[in-house]
């Protein structure tokens, strides 16, 4: 009887240990995958302040659309709108004199919202085979919004199409479905537009 109870206890302990390992592994992987986003959000908050970052919540009814008086040489912040992160790729193209480095000098927020356009996919496999694969081609576009931090007014917007992935982006053969992406819109083009609209 004692041996049976100790055998049951060992099984219960093993089940608990495996359960803890599985749950811990899930949360560990989730934490690791979310880490870059959290770092980007922290960078945006530390650099521009919570109020400015919140303005990039483009679904918010609080954002007004209208005119704004922006001082010449106003400093800008750049936010990736879909996750509220610092958009380093575009922010680094701003001239140093126009880069906002803290909340007190952030006059304008440039919110960049990515969308994707599906293009004609390439398909693989013979017409007689039931096994067919596709190479999906996607264009990455940006919608840009400029918001006056002081008033919360969105005073300019522009859509920037990205480059289509070339037909050579898909391989000649494949044994699985895959997706290829075109390049994002030109950093210089987006930033030059933002500067021109923001007290150039």
């Amino acid at each position: 009887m004692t041996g049976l109870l100790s055998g049951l206890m060992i099984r219960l302990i093993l089940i608990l240990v495996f359960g803890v390992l599985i749950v811990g592994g899930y949360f560990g992987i989730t934490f690791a995958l979310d880490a870059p986003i959290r770092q980007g959000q922290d960078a945006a908050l530390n650099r521009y302040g919570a109020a400015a970052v919140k303005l990039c919540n483009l679904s918010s009814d609080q954002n007004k659309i209208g005119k704004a008086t922006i001082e010449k040489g106003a400093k800008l912040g750049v936010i990736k709108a879909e996750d509220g992160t610092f958009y380093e790729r575009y922010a680094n193209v701003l001239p140093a004199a126009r880069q906002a480095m803290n909340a007190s000098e952030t006059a304008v927020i440039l919110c960049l919202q990515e969308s994707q356009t599906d293009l004609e996919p390439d398909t693989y496999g013979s017409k007689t085979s039931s096994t067919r694969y596709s190479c999906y081609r996607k264009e990455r576009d940006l919608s840009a919004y400029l918001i006056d931090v002081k008033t919360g007014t969105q005073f300019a917007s522009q859509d920037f199409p990205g480059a289509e992935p070339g037909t050579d982006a898909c391989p000649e053969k494949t044994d699985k479905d895959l997706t290829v992406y075109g390049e994002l819109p030109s950093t210089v083009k987006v930033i030059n537009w933002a500067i021109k609209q923001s007290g150039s």
Side-chain angles (χ1 to χ4, degrees), residues 103-115:
S104 65
E105 64 183 27
T106 305
V108 175
I109 284 289
L110 169 59
C111 306
L112 297 173
Q113 177 80 44
E114 183 179 331
S115 59

Side-chain angles (χ1 to χ4, degrees), residues 60-71:
S60 172
D61 293 333
Q62 297 172 348
N63 287 351
K64 303 172 283 198
I65 297 176
K67 294 183 179 179
T69 304
I70 307 297
E71 291 182 22

Side-chain angles (χ1 to χ4, degrees), residues 43-55 79 102-104 106 109:
L45 289 169
N46 292 336
R47 199 160 181 165
Y48 308 133
V53 172
K54 188 178 178 184
L55 292 172
I79 299 287
N102 57 60
S104 65
T106 305
I109 284 289

Side-chain angles (χ1 to χ4, degrees), residues 12-61:
L12 282 173
I13 290 168
L14 287 174
I15 289 169
L16 284 171
V17 167
F18 283 123
V20 168
L21 288 174
I22 289 169
V23 171
Y26 169 79
F27 284 111
I29 290 168
T30 302
F31 182 83
L33 292 175
D34 289 345
I37 292 174
R38 276 196 306 279
Q39 288 171 351
Q41 290 168 338
D42 289 344
L45 289 169
N46 292 336
R47 199 160 181 165
Y48 308 133
V53 172
K54 188 178 178 184
L55 292 172
C56 267
N57 179 1
L58 301 174
S59 62
S60 172
D61 293 333

Side-chain angles (χ1 to χ4, degrees), residues 6-191:
S6 62
L8 285 172
M9 289 298 289
I10 290 170
R11 285 189 190 129
L12 282 173
I13 290 168
L14 287 174
I15 289 169
L16 284 171
V17 167
F18 283 123
V20 168
L21 288 174
I22 289 169
V23 171
Y26 169 79
F27 284 111
I29 290 168
T30 302
F31 182 83
L33 292 175
D34 289 345
I37 292 174
R38 276 196 306 279
Q39 288 171 351
Q41 290 168 338
D42 289 344
L45 289 169
N46 292 336
R47 199 160 181 165
Y48 308 133
V53 172
K54 188 178 178 184
L55 292 172
C56 267
N57 179 1
L58 301 174
S59 62
S60 172
D61 293 333
Q62 297 172 348
N63 287 351
K64 303 172 283 198
I65 297 176
K67 294 183 179 179
T69 304
I70 307 297
E71 291 182 22
K72 187 171 179 151
K75 296 195 175 190
L76 290 83
V78 186
I79 299 287
K80 193 174 184 181
E82 54 263 30
D83 56 17
T85 55
F86 172 61
Y87 213 153
E88 186 173 9
R89 173 189 183 117
Y90 287 90
N92 286 347
V93 178
L94 280 166
R98 300 298 299 271
Q99 288 188 27
M101 301 305 287
N102 57 60
S104 65
E105 64 183 27
T106 305
V108 175
I109 284 289
L110 169 59
C111 306
L112 297 173
Q113 177 80 44
E114 183 179 331
S115 59
Q116 296 178 357
T117 303
D118 293 326
L119 305 171
E120 189 70 31
D122 292 355
T123 54
Y124 303 84
S126 68
K127 293 180 180 177
T128 58
S129 170
S130 61
T131 305
R132 295 181 61 79
Y133 300 103
S134 295
C135 176
Y136 300 99
R137 298 165 56 243
K138 292 180 182 281
E139 178 182 296
R140 298 172 72 192
D141 307 318
L142 286 177
S143 293
Y145 305 86
L146 286 166
I147 300 175
D148 176 12
V149 172
K150 195 185 297 182
T151 65
T153 302
Q154 178 188 307
F155 63 90
S157 64
Q158 180 72 40
D159 291 328
F160 293 92
E164 291 186 7
T167 51
D168 59 343
C170 288
E172 287 186 28
K173 294 180 182 179
T174 185
D175 58 358
K176 60 184 177 185
D177 287 332
L178 56 120
T179 304
V180 295
Y181 298 91
E183 289 294 318
L184 282 163
S186 158
T187 54
V188 172
K189 193 178 285 188
V190 172
I191 293 303

